[in-house]
Amino acid sequence: MKRNKKFNRIKIALVENSKSNKWLAEKLNKDKSTVSRWCTNDMQPSLETLFEIAILLEVPVESLLNKNPE
């Protein structure tokens, strides 16, 4: 059975900034399902996209990453 490691905190950052997956998808010109998969840690955004997310949410990129993934 595959364990889903949580590498990013994108969903938490969106909630803390009162933003939705849909908002982020529109800002990044990405499909809503792609953003949803990032938020559930089913897949990870590229490093470049992670920096774009940090800029949009006005947070340090480090705050979008879990220091110790499960």
Side-chain angles (χ1 to χ4, degrees):
M1 186 163 96
K2 177 183 155 190
R3 259 184 64 194
N4 195 17
K5 292 188 177 188
K6 297 189 186 234
F7 291 105
N8 74 60
R9 300 179 67 252
I10 295 171
K11 181 64 177 175
I12 295 166
L14 285 169
V15 170
E16 289 173 348
N17 286 279
S18 302
K19 304 292 183 188
S20 67
N21 293 12
K22 181 180 177 184
W23 174 87
L24 185 59
E26 289 172 357
K27 292 292 184 182
L28 295 172
N29 198 26
K30 301 281 185 188
D31 192 89
K32 290 185 294 185
S33 64
T34 299
V35 173
S36 177
R37 292 184 72 198
W38 295 339
C39 290
T40 59
N41 277 283
D42 287 338
M43 66 185 239
Q44 302 303 315
S46 69
L47 191 54
E48 180 181 278
T49 302
L50 198 62
F51 275 91
E52 290 178 46
I53 294 168
I55 290 167
L56 287 169
L57 293 176
E58 298 179 349
V59 299
V61 72
E62 298 85 10
S63 73
L64 298 177
L65 299 171
N66 277 331
K67 295 184 194 270
N68 296 312
E70 296 173 1

